[in-house]
Amino acid sequence: MACPYFDPGERAPGLSGSLGDLYMGQCRVGNGQPDEQTIADRCNLGYARGCCPRFPANGGPDAVRFSVSKDDDTVIRILYSLERDHRPFSNGALEFCTATGAFAAAPESIESLAGAYVRSYLRRTR
């Protein structure tokens, strides 16, 4: 899981997390860069509502989960689930084309998170 408002950047070496790896990155809400502890504990792991001052006070999701449902070397199908309070909020599927290195279509709100998940997956499996 990861915070749906996290924009992952560089991989943190030697560590693993909910996106397959832990990432440094930026918060897409609020001002400034989160500190390293917040990035490790909240941004990479999700469920920051009530714990992170940047977290929006709306009825949106708390976390996003990803899993690979198909990998045929040309297309990787990723299932995602947005959650709120540890319950499903919304879900869907994404297709990543390995030839182009891009998603066929992905919601802008989770595209960078899904991209980090795929990079971690490819690093571990290729």
Side-chain angles (χ1 to χ4, degrees), residues 4 28 42 53 63 66 71 79 117-118 126:
R28 290 188 287 122
R42 300 295 174 200
F66 297 100
D71 180 354
L79 302 178
Y117 180 80
V118 168
R126 303 284 197 283

Side-chain angles (χ1 to χ4, degrees), residues 22-125:
L22 289 180
Y23 286 87
M24 299 309 295
Q26 299 285 328
C27 181
R28 290 188 287 122
V29 295
N31 294 324
Q33 169 78 21
D35 62 73
E36 286 187 29
Q37 194 66 49
T38 299
I39 289 174
D41 293 346
R42 300 295 174 200
C43 301
N44 275 280
L45 302 179
Y47 294 109
R49 187 182 309 277
C51 300
C52 176
R54 289 177 178 79
F55 199 89
N58 64 16
D62 299 314
V64 59
R65 291 180 190 263
F66 297 100
S67 64
V68 173
S69 70
K70 173 183 142 184
D71 180 354
D72 69 7
D73 291 326
T74 60
V75 174
I76 301 171
R77 184 175 172 88
I78 305 291
L79 302 178
Y80 69 89
S81 175
L82 291 165
E83 299 178 358
R84 179 178 165 106
D85 298 325
H86 303 276
R87 293 187 175 96
F89 183 81
S90 68
N91 61 63
L94 308 169
E95 291 199 352
F96 182 84
C97 176
T98 57
T100 64
F103 290 98
E108 185 178 336
S109 61
I110 64 166
E111 186 171 13
S112 65
L113 289 166
Y117 180 80
V118 168
R119 287 192 307 274
S120 295
Y121 173 77
L122 290 172
R123 186 182 65 76
R124 290 188 323 273
T125 61

